[in-house]
Amino acid sequence: MWLWNKIKQLAISFRAGKVTLGYPFEPRPAPEGFRGQPVWDHTRCIGCAGCANHCPARTIFLRDICQEVRILLYDSSRCTYCGRCADLCPEKAITMSQNFELATDNRQDITQTIELFMMTCQRCGRCYDLEIKNYLDKLSSLGYRYDCLEVRKVIHRATADFSPDMLEKTSSYQRPDSLEK
Amino acid sequence: MSRAEELSRRLREELGNLVLDLETGTPGRLFIDVSKEALGKVAASLKNQGARYQAAVAYDARKTGQGFGLIHTFAFDRDSLLVAVRTFAPEDDPEFESITPLIPGAGWSEREYIDLLGLKFKNHPEPRRLVLSDDWPEGIHPLRRDVPHDLMPPAAEEVAFRLEKAPAGTSIIPFGPFHASLHEPAHFSVYVDGEDIKGCEYRGFMTHRGIEKLAQTELTYNEVPFVAERICGICGSVHSVNYAQAVEAAAGLKIPRRAEFIRTVMLEIERLHSHLLWLGVAGHLIGFDTVFMQSWRIREKIMWLAEKITGNRKTYGMVIIGGVRRDIERQRASEIRVVLTEVEKEMLALEKAILKDKAIHKRTKGVGHLSKEAAVSWNLVGPVARARGLAIDVRKDHPYAAYDEVDFEVVTADSCDVWGTLVVRVKEVYEAIRIINQCLDKLGRLPEHEPLSLVLEGPVPSGRQGLSVVEAPRGEAVHYVLTGDDNRPERWRVRAPTYAHLQAVPDMLLNNKLADFPIIVGQIDPCISCTDRVLVIKLGQGRAELLQKQELERISRSRRKER
């Protein structure tokens, strides 16, 4: 009985043969619909902050560096690839790509930064998208944000209200050469 | 008269005006508010009527002037009824009567709130720390509203476990926090007399990630499912579905039927992969690696299937409040059927080849024995309870999602040992396949291209209670949600099945051989990350035997500089 069981087990093991894949020497493409690295299409992004406000892992940051320029920074090092950003984007500017080979020793490799040119609203003094159309009042976003891009931390409701001081500060703002120190 | 009505009438008769409020709005749920003095009586009354204790939930209600709230939840499995008994204690005297002398399984829940909320329990047999580490400062209770979620007190240097002394005539064998037979950090200090285990002390909760605190301070309702999914690396979908159900119950939402079927399919796919994973691990723990290799080979097909359906092997990300995110179309359904047929065939062959193998019988029969009565008194759930002849299964007893429409069998065994657990979990693989096939049939008959999730018309009302249970592969998981303001829960409590099981491990180990330790602990499929979900990261545990902590730090720092 014991021997018969062992023979059966041998048969199962032999029938299965070699199941280990040749990866990474042979490529293994991800299936269709895979949630890999999200990619932003800067021509479509309207800077509405929908993705930043709904990211469960808080990996998407926004800051208006001056009256006309809004920066969106995506830091993939903590991303869980849930794909909520892609679901929620009203302009379908985000696609979850097939790319999953993201291991790196340089954080900058997996960071995406978009500079968005915005226009100043004459009524409230904040900036809004000028190229496509204004979605701001249709979106119930949590309010404007002034996230710290250097330490990559969300600053909640920091600029929920427009402050004239900030406007004054930003009027003499020089755009930095690079965002990373 | 339904069970809920009968119970309400009986409690009112027994306790009179000590019962403050009864809420029977949701079918299958009964929320009771009692005054503090009545807590012990209610618990005793419910226990005498055959209720199974689930978990305690405590929260900081000082904002509304109610002090601290404590909720004990009970299940009447035959009557599909869950009961939550809530009581409040004032801020300056947060003392409740302990129900642990009556219900031993409540011991951990109460100790948890001694640590996290600074509550006191009168007559608790063992009121020492459970969750917080030994070097956590006295008087800081992290789940209180005034403690920030990212508080990290500095670790004390040189802190070792304050462990109990071994009983006379025995010596201690330490297992863990890092040990070849434990896959996650937990410490068992096992008392042995020669080869025989005479007792053990458990120290755990080393991997707290502060998920519950995070949900009630930082996240919003629809962000929590994705974080809940990461409570566990194996039964993630269970936790996200469970959380979503609790919120939906609290808010009174009815999700689309198609979404319920899709949730059921995903839960069963998860059960398939988890049972095959456990079978492999169990084989590995008893040194039978053929089982390990072959069951994991079969499991890999399920993982690829899940990747195709949801876009990821494991963290499916399917669930949001009000429904699901992706559909299972007709073509995808036929792909699932093909894979399931293959898995069933391979599983049958594997079962035939291993279940009669003498090696497995000798290592599992009579090992980790725990009687049916002990299983009832420790409130065991899932396959561990079913291996002890208790036919309890949340899917049958408290149907959720689409389980009310599918036909399946609750597999039980009566050997009360590791062998029984093994048989139950192997047989449940076929039941899971049956359930998925039925769901796919019914899904095919529902109209396609309809919205898979509700659009919420307004904010979730605050102050509502939601209680949800889901049968995870390793047992019943309980989620309790109290809705709050600011688009986030006021309190969210998770009780994973391992939380109930681990408390019974010392009894299971008693009088077994030390060599069987791994498989006895392994039979409950311990998921430490599920159990340790609640709070702030634990700091500076234990002491390195050979290298001192400073030494290790120096080495790792110099490594980093070299790079």
Side-chain angles (χ1 to χ4, degrees), chain B residues 90-147:
Chain B
E91 185 183 348
D92 46 3
D93 177 29
E95 188 175 60
F96 294 92
E97 196 178 329
S98 171
I99 61 164
T100 309
L102 188 71
I103 302 164
W108 272 25
S109 281
E110 293 185 342
R111 279 167 69 190
E112 186 172 328
Y113 297 120
I114 296 176
D115 287 4
L116 299 184
L117 277 163
L119 306 184
K120 293 193 191 79
F121 289 93
K122 203 162 55 188
N123 302 330
H124 194 289
E126 202 185 12
R128 59 193 174 90
R129 280 193 177 184
L130 174 75
V131 175
L132 296 179
S133 62
D134 290 336
D135 62 341
W136 185 270
E138 284 290 335
I140 297 182
H141 303 293
L143 212 50
R144 288 193 174 193
R145 282 270 161 200
D146 44 5
V147 177

Side-chain angles (χ1 to χ4, degrees), chain B residues 347-406:
Chain B
M347 194 59 209
L348 276 170
L350 185 66
E351 187 194 327
K352 270 187 202 148
I354 61 166
L355 280 195
K356 293 220 173 99
D357 195 307
K358 253 194 282 178
I360 281 202
H361 289 235
K362 285 195 168 168
R363 288 301 306 276
T364 59
K365 280 196 173 164
V367 172
H369 187 274
L370 189 76
S371 67
K372 188 175 173 180
E373 292 70 39
V376 173
S377 78
W378 282 114
N379 316 307
L380 297 192
V381 287
V384 187
R386 290 198 282 277
R388 282 154 184 85
L390 295 171
I392 51 171
D393 189 321
V394 177
R395 296 173 289 173
K396 266 276 196 280
D397 299 334
H398 310 279
Y400 52 92
Y403 284 107
D404 50 345
E405 259 189 60
V406 292

Side-chain angles (χ1 to χ4, degrees), chain B residues 6 173 389 406 481 483 535:
Chain B
E6 190 196 321
I173 305 269
V406 292
V481 167
T483 57
L535 244 122

Side-chain angles (χ1 to χ4, degrees), chain B residues 14-21 33-38 41:
Chain B
E14 281 178 20
L15 299 160
N17 54 3
L18 290 175
V19 177
L20 304 174
D21 191 23
D33 276 294
V34 298
S35 68
K36 209 175 84 172
E37 300 77 47
K41 282 182 204 154

